Each structure stands twice: as C-alpha cells, then as structure tokens.
Amino acid sequence: MSIDCFRLMPRALAVAAATIAAAGAAHATENSQVRALLGAPSYEISTPQFPGLYAQFWAQHYEADKLRDADGHTPVRALTVPGVGTLPLAVNGSVKADVFVPRLTWVTEQIVMDGRLGFSAAFPMVRQTNDFVLTTVIPAAVPAAAAAQINAQLAGAGAALSGTRSGLADPELAAYLDWQQDESRVALGVAFNPPLGAYDASRAVNPGAGKFWTFKPLLVASRVWENGVAVGLRATYSFNTRNDDTGVRSGQYLHADWSGTYQLNDQWKVGVQGYVLKQFTADQGGTAGANKVQALSAGPLVAYLSESGDWGVDVKVMKEFSVRNRPEGTVTWLRLNYRLN
C-alpha cells in the first residue's frame, strides 16, 4: 500500500463522519439534538396554579452509552479506503450532560376567554461531553504498518466528533391560557426558542442548537380523581426556521411529557413519568440526512409538597427505549418549585 492511499483517506473519513453525525453523534438539531427539556414537567401539571410568581430550579443529569441508527442498532457505515476496499465503520461512544434550569412562571389575574393568562421563561445552562470512537475490521492481508495508520486516522476522526462544552442553551419562552376546574385542567399556548445559546457550526459540541428559531403550540391537560390518582400531559409540536450557518431546516417533531401519580397524603406523591419524542418530517437543505429522531422513556417519580403549599420538590429517573437516530440513555431530574408571592 502506498502513502498516497492515506492522503485520500481523510476525505473518506470526513464523508463517513457526516453520516455518523446524522445518526446522533453531533449537537445541532439537524444532527439529532432537539430543543426540549425532556422529562422536565412533573406533578405541577395536575396541581392548581393560583395567581402569583413561581420560581423553579431544576437540575438534570443525562448519560447515554449507546448510539442508535434508524433501525435502533449501533450505527454502521461503509468506509472505502483506497488500496484496501470497503470496510464497515462502526460508531460507539457516550454522551453526558449536566443541565441547570432556572425558570420563572407568572400566573396573572387577567382572564381571557374564561382562561387565566400565564407566562413562563426557562434558561437552561448546559455542560455536555461527547466521546466517540470509530472502529473497523481490517483484513488480515493488510500490512501491520498500514493497519496502524488506518486505526490512527479513525482515532483522529472520533476525536473530531468529541469534546466538552459549557454554556447557555437556547431559552424557552411561553404564553398560555389556563382553564382550571376542581378535577381537571386544560391550558393552551405557544412557546418559542430564540437562538441565544452558545453555538459555532465548526464545533462538535454546542450548548445552543443553531442559528434558527423554533415555534411550538403548547397543550397541557390533566385529570384528578378523589382517590388520589392524577394523570397529566404537556405536549408541544415544534416548527423550525432554517439554520443560517448550515442551510439546514430541521424537521417538525412532537415532544410530550406524561405522568401518573398517586397522592399518599397531603405532602407525598409517588408515580411514574416519561416522555415521547417523535420527529414527523425530514430535515431539509444543506447536509441534512434521513435522520428522523425518536425516543420513548419511563421511570419512577417521588414528590413532596410543603404543608403551606408554597414549595415542592421532586426527583425522577427515566430510562429511554425505542430510540432512533439519537443516543439512548437515562435522564435524572431533581427539581425545586417555589411560590414567590
């Protein structure tokens, strides 16, 4: 094998890396990252929201050690090495993220169409680490020196997809109307994400999703029974503008958080919570690929509400499954909700 073969190999690896990114290895929305606080809402979905100002402080830890392609398997691509042939290129790695979210909710006294007007604003701050490894099966006939060069270049390509970054992610701002009765609650509104997070298209890891806006209609619905059982849902459907830096317009996706709780007494609740993430339209433009994302999750929830009702805390752990074109992992939330007035 001549050295000229390896001068061509970085280009082959670059093409492979682009398809790998579409399978969940990078950090823009068109590369499988979504603008959504997956699993964030909890017992407050089915708890009456009285007029006032509420502060929430939420901490999330996400850890995934599996990558999933469109079939739910470890991503494998074809890598053509000049002078060697076509080799299977497998992608393995991990994604870890710690997120702190200060959030304000203002439930006003204003009544519009029999519903109470409310506003919310969340400002997530993220520290994320991506660590990816590219491997292949090199034929036995390839000389040891050539095999070492192939492995070295694979290591370099994996390192190019990896990294750690901290910063402000894209905030979510929302306005809604809330109709509450003794046993049920329905809220309708609209939320949006301005591109204010830290983002650079040349980086492998970004706290922000990209230079584009996301608009999403919002639905909250819940039902409470006298026996202490409550179910709740918060759902948004996201529409994205085009990313100015990449030319990609991310597809539309549904994000729905659901919960079912049982009230043990006036202070304690237990239950199960999860989320549904499902992309319905493909990304378009630029280097967009066929990378519709999907993830389901479920796990236990424990919540405590103070005797005064002014504050509450909850913890929950949700395991992902049926994942497509994203990392698959576990998300843990610890949240404090406090009524300021």
Side-chain angles (χ1 to χ4, degrees):
M1 181 182 299
S2 70
I3 193 65
D4 291 338
C5 298
F6 295 105
R7 291 174 182 164
L8 297 175
M9 189 175 169
R11 182 178 180 183
L13 278 171
V15 174
T19 61
I20 291 163
H27 189 72
T29 301
E30 59 261 26
N31 290 326
S32 306
Q33 182 77 5
V34 295
R35 279 173 166 159
L37 295 171
L38 299 175
S42 187
Y43 68 88
E44 75 275 7
I45 294 176
S46 55
T47 301
Q49 299 293 292
F50 301 107
L53 185 63
Y54 298 81
Q56 295 102 20
F57 302 96
W58 303 346
Q60 180 210 73
H61 177 72
Y62 178 77
E63 189 162 342
D65 59 4
K66 300 180 179 68
L67 304 181
R68 296 298 183 224
D69 62 12
D71 298 317
H73 303 138
T74 299
V76 177
R77 298 293 184 266
L79 172 65
T80 300
V81 181
V84 175
T86 300
L87 305 177
L89 182 63
V91 190
N92 292 281
S94 65
V95 175
K96 296 180 182 179
D98 291 297
V99 185
F100 177 68
V101 187
R103 185 174 186 261
L104 286 175
T105 300
W106 179 31
V107 182
T108 74
E109 299 279 0
Q110 183 69 41
I111 301 297
V112 179
M113 295 185 293
D114 296 326
R116 193 172 298 279
L117 179 64
F119 303 92
S120 69
F123 300 91
M125 291 172 279
V126 181
R127 176 177 175 82
Q128 177 165 326
T129 298
N130 290 0
D131 185 11
F132 295 103
V133 178
L134 313 185
T135 59
T136 190
V137 178
I138 301 174
V142 175
Q149 279 193 287
I150 293 175
N151 287 327
Q153 293 201 28
L154 289 175
L161 294 172
S162 304
T164 298
R165 185 68 57 175
S166 301
L168 177 70
D170 302 307
E172 181 188 86
L173 310 176
Y176 59 91
L177 290 177
D178 195 345
W179 293 269
Q180 299 185 43
Q181 298 180 355
D182 292 340
E183 297 181 343
S184 65
R185 178 190 179 201
V186 174
L188 296 174
V190 61
F192 66 97
N193 300 95
L196 300 180
Y199 175 80
D200 184 336
S202 65
R203 292 196 304 241
V205 183
N206 283 291
K211 300 299 183 182
F212 63 96
W213 292 69
T214 299
F215 300 91
K216 41 198 178 187
L218 164 68
L219 165 68
V220 175
S222 66
R223 179 74 163 84
V224 180
W225 287 268
E226 292 183 358
N227 62 4
V229 174
V231 294
L233 172 76
R234 183 188 190 272
T236 62
Y237 191 83
S238 294
F239 300 87
N240 302 290
T241 63
R242 192 174 302 278
N243 188 333
D244 291 339
D245 286 354
T246 65
V248 174
R249 181 172 182 173
S250 298
Q252 303 167 16
Y253 54 89
L254 169 72
H255 164 217
D257 294 295
W258 57 268
S259 67
T261 61
Y262 177 71
Q263 188 161 338
L264 298 174
N265 52 46
D266 290 341
Q267 277 71 55
W268 290 96
K269 293 183 180 183
V270 296
V272 62
Q273 180 166 348
Y275 52 81
V276 175
L277 173 65
K278 178 71 175 180
Q279 184 174 343
F280 287 95
T281 66
D283 302 343
Q284 299 177 349
T287 58
N291 62 331
K292 293 182 182 178
V293 300
Q294 174 182 295
L296 308 179
S297 80
L301 156 72
V302 178
Y304 174 82
L305 184 64
S306 68
E307 292 186 13
S308 66
D310 289 338
W311 63 273
V313 63
D314 64 273
V315 61
K316 51 200 174 178
V317 180
M318 289 161 280
K319 175 66 177 175
E320 293 182 321
F321 58 93
S322 296
V323 175
R324 301 293 183 269
N325 289 317
R326 278 178 57 84
E328 177 183 323
T330 300
V331 59
T332 302
W333 282 97
L334 174 63
R335 310 177 330 126
L336 170 66
N337 298 320
Y338 188 81
R339 184 177 179 181
L340 297 175
N341 62 4

